[in-house]
Each structure stands twice: as structure tokens, then as C-alpha cells.
């Protein structure tokens, strides 16, 4: 099957009142779901070094809700992103950074995440509120990548950010984001997964509770908070690291992490 080779960045549109029978190429003919925008891009395009920018419709004073995205496989022409954030994923979801609730991605059902990436998929998400009644907000599996921007993490059954598997990574760099809901974990890295938080200024709204720990790393998972400064408070353990998993705070003391209980390091877990 022949593919369209992009000669410049491509804009796609998704709207809560759209239709997946539309072409998604204008605000007048938007797709209904992020899933359709991803599958159409993966199956028909060659990025040829350009970006696919997916804009979510947002109306003032309305809490517009969008269904989850499960991104698997590679869009031809994808460039492998970097932890430093200097190379962004080519598939970019943009909501409303000023009013996250106007672009609310909500997952229902056991095991369903807001945005899932794996097997070569690379996605960025900014300007959205993320909640999951059944699992997590942002999840990367083996060889998946997510770049997180100025989002709001609401209530999730499991984790706000979860990287699981070799070459699975979530990167968040130089962002202002909000944590308004409770979860078992804010950041969870396991089985070699990595979460990079570089130079962020997160604000905790209220006192969200983390029943597991604010950050948990195990089985060689790693979470990095270099240059990240939190504002606000949370309840629960600050960290739980084990089985060669660890947290890097660039030498800062454990009080830099939110939580009202001391962190725990066991079975070769590390905190530096």
C-alpha cells in the first residue's frame, strides 16, 4: 500500500461532536476519537521527518470528555525521541493548557489507561486533564515513548505515569503541571522502564493521597527528578524503591518529594 509522504507538518482535528467517518483534516470535519487519528496516521502516512499535530476541540465553560488512546506500532518515519526532550514525538496531542478540563481524557473499565504507548509508538500529550477509573493516566510498555506536557493528573486507580519494560520511557521536561487527584502512585517505573522529570514545577492541588507511594521503582526501573520543584503536599510514603530500582534527585534530601511518610529503600533499591 502506498503512503503519503508528508512535506510539512500535518494538522488533524478531533472533537467530542466529530465523527470517525470524517477525514479529520479540518476543524469542520474532525474525527471523534484519538484512536481514529492514530490508526489513520499509522496506517496511511510516512512522516518523512515532519510532525502530526492533533488538536482537541475545546469550548469555553464545557468539560469536554474524550475516549482513551491505545497507540501501538510505529508511524513510518518516526525519529526516536530523547530523554532530554530535544526531539519530540512526531504524533502530538494538544488540548487547552489554560483549562485542562475542557480537554478531559477519561478511561473507564478495568485495566484501561488514558494514553497507552508501546511497540515503537511515540506520542506527546499536553493541555489535557487525565483520569482513569480502572487503571492509569499515561502508560508506556516495551519500546513505547510518551512526552508529557502541561497536563493535569486527576484521580487514577493505579498510577499517573507508569513506564514498564525495557526501552519504555516517559519524559517530562520544563513543564508546569498539576496533580489534583489521588492514585496508588504518581510515578511508577518497573522492569527497566524509565521516567524522566527534568526541570518541572508541579503543583499539588488539595492533598492527594498515594496509597502505595508518591514514587515507586522496582526491577531496575528508574525515576529522575533532576531540577524538579514541587509545590503543595500529599499523603503517603515519599518513595518506595526495591529490586535494583531507584530514584534520582541529584543529591537532594528526601523531603523534596511530596508525602507525609518516610521513603523506603529495600532489596538493593536506591535513592541518590
Amino acid at each position: 500500500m502506498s503512503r503519503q509522504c508528508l512535506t510539512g507538518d500535518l494538522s488533524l482535528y478531533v472533537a467530542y461532536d466529530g465523527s470517525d467517518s470524517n477525514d479529520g483534516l479540518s476543524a469542520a470535519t474532525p474525527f471523534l476519537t484519538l484512536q481514529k487519528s492514530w490508526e489513520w496516521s499509522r496506517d496511511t502516512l510516512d512522516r518523512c521527518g515532519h510532525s502530526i499535530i492533533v488538536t482537541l476541540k475545546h469550548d469555553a465553560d464545557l468539560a469536554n470528555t474524550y475516549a482513551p488512546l491505545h497507540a501501538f506500532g510505529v508511524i513510518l518515519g518516526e525519529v526516536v525521541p530523547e530523554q532530554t526532550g530535544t526531539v519530540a514525538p512526531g504524533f502530538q496531542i494538544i488540548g487547552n493548557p489554560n483549562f485542562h478540563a475542557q480537554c478531559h481524557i477519561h478511561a473507564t473499565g478495568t485495566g484501561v489507561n488514558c494514553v497507552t504507548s508501546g511497540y515503537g509508538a511515540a506520542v506527546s500529550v499536553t493541555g489535557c486533564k487525565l483520569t482513569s477509573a480502572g487503571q492509569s493516566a499515561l502508560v508506556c510498555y516495551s519500546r513505547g515513548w510518551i512526552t508529557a506536557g502541561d497536563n493535569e493528573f486527576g484521580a487514577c486507580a493505579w498510577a499517573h505515569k507508569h513506564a514498564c519494560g525495557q526501552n519504555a520511557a516517559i519524559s517530562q521536561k520544563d513543564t508546569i503541571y498539576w496533580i489534583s487527584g489521588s492514585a496508588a502512585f504518581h510515578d511508577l517505573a518497573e522492569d527497566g522502564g524509565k521516567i524522566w522529570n527534568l526541570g518541572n514545577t508541579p503543583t499539588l492541588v488539595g492533598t492527594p493521597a498515594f496509597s502505595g507511594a508518591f514514587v515507586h521503582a522496582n526491577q531496575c526501573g528508574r525515576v529522575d527528578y533532576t531540577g524538579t520543584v514541587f509545590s503543595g503536599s500529599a499523603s503517603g510514603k515519599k518513595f518506595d524503591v526495591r529490586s535494583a530500582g531507584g530514584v534520582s534527585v541529584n543529591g537532594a534530601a528526601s523531603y523534596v518529594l511530596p508525602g507525609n511518610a518516610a521513603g523506603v529503600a529495600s532489596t538493593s533499591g536506591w535513592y541518590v
Side-chain angles (χ1 to χ4, degrees), residues 162-256:
H162 183 189
C164 179
Q166 291 296 323
N167 298 314
I170 298 174
S171 174
Q172 189 146 15
K173 180 178 184 289
D174 297 333
T175 68
I176 301 171
Y177 75 92
W178 287 262
I179 304 169
S180 62
S182 301
F185 311 99
H186 176 61
D187 282 334
L188 170 61
E190 54 188 348
D191 299 329
K194 295 177 176 62
I195 300 176
W196 306 100
N197 298 288
L198 308 176
N200 301 305
T201 53
T203 297
L204 289 86
V205 180
T207 308
F210 296 93
S211 57
F214 184 79
V215 55
H216 180 53
N218 67 58
Q219 298 292 336
C220 299
R222 172 178 176 151
V223 183
D224 193 314
Y225 290 106
T226 300
T228 292
V229 179
F230 292 94
S231 174
S233 59
S235 64
K237 286 185 291 188
K238 294 176 179 293
F239 62 87
D240 185 342
V241 292
R242 60 184 71 185
S243 302
V247 173
S248 173
V249 291
N250 200 29
S254 63
Y255 63 76
V256 301

Side-chain angles (χ1 to χ4, degrees), residues 17-248:
D17 55 356
S19 169
D20 284 345
S21 297
N22 290 337
D23 61 16
L25 295 173
S26 74
T29 58
F31 292 132
L32 173 64
T33 65
L34 286 166
Q35 194 65 36
K36 176 66 176 182
S37 68
W38 167 263
E39 292 176 357
W40 180 82
S41 299
R42 181 196 61 196
D43 296 344
T44 66
L45 299 178
D46 184 335
R47 283 186 52 220
C48 297
H50 300 288
S51 296
I52 301 163
I53 301 169
V54 183
T55 300
L56 298 180
K57 179 180 178 179
H58 49 271
D59 291 328
D61 303 320
L62 290 178
N64 308 307
T65 302
Y66 290 90
L69 169 65
H70 304 285
F72 294 99
V74 179
I75 296 177
L76 202 64
E78 181 62 76
V79 178
V80 177
E82 300 174 359
Q83 71 179 56
T84 58
T86 55
V87 177
F91 189 86
Q92 303 172 17
I93 300 167
I94 300 177
N96 185 350
N98 297 314
F99 299 98
H100 304 99
Q102 293 178 4
C103 297
H104 183 187
I105 303 175
H106 179 62
T108 60
T110 302
V112 182
N113 310 304
C114 297
V115 178
T116 306
S117 174
Y119 306 105
V123 177
S124 70
V125 185
T126 192
C128 296
K129 182 174 182 178
L130 305 164
T131 59
S132 175
Q135 195 73 5
S136 302
L138 303 178
V139 178
C140 282
Y141 295 116
S142 181
R143 294 184 293 112
W145 185 282
I146 294 177
T147 296
D150 297 344
N151 298 300
E152 176 184 344
F153 293 97
C156 289
W158 190 234
H160 290 146
K161 291 176 281 180
H162 183 189
C164 179
Q166 291 296 323
N167 298 314
I170 298 174
S171 174
Q172 189 146 15
K173 180 178 184 289
D174 297 333
T175 68
I176 301 171
Y177 75 92
W178 287 262
I179 304 169
S180 62
S182 301
F185 311 99
H186 176 61
D187 282 334
L188 170 61
E190 54 188 348
D191 299 329
K194 295 177 176 62
I195 300 176
W196 306 100
N197 298 288
L198 308 176
N200 301 305
T201 53
T203 297
L204 289 86
V205 180
T207 308
F210 296 93
S211 57
F214 184 79
V215 55
H216 180 53
N218 67 58
Q219 298 292 336
C220 299
R222 172 178 176 151
V223 183
D224 193 314
Y225 290 106
T226 300
T228 292
V229 179
F230 292 94
S231 174
S233 59
S235 64
K237 286 185 291 188
K238 294 176 179 293
F239 62 87
D240 185 342
V241 292
R242 60 184 71 185
S243 302
V247 173
S248 173

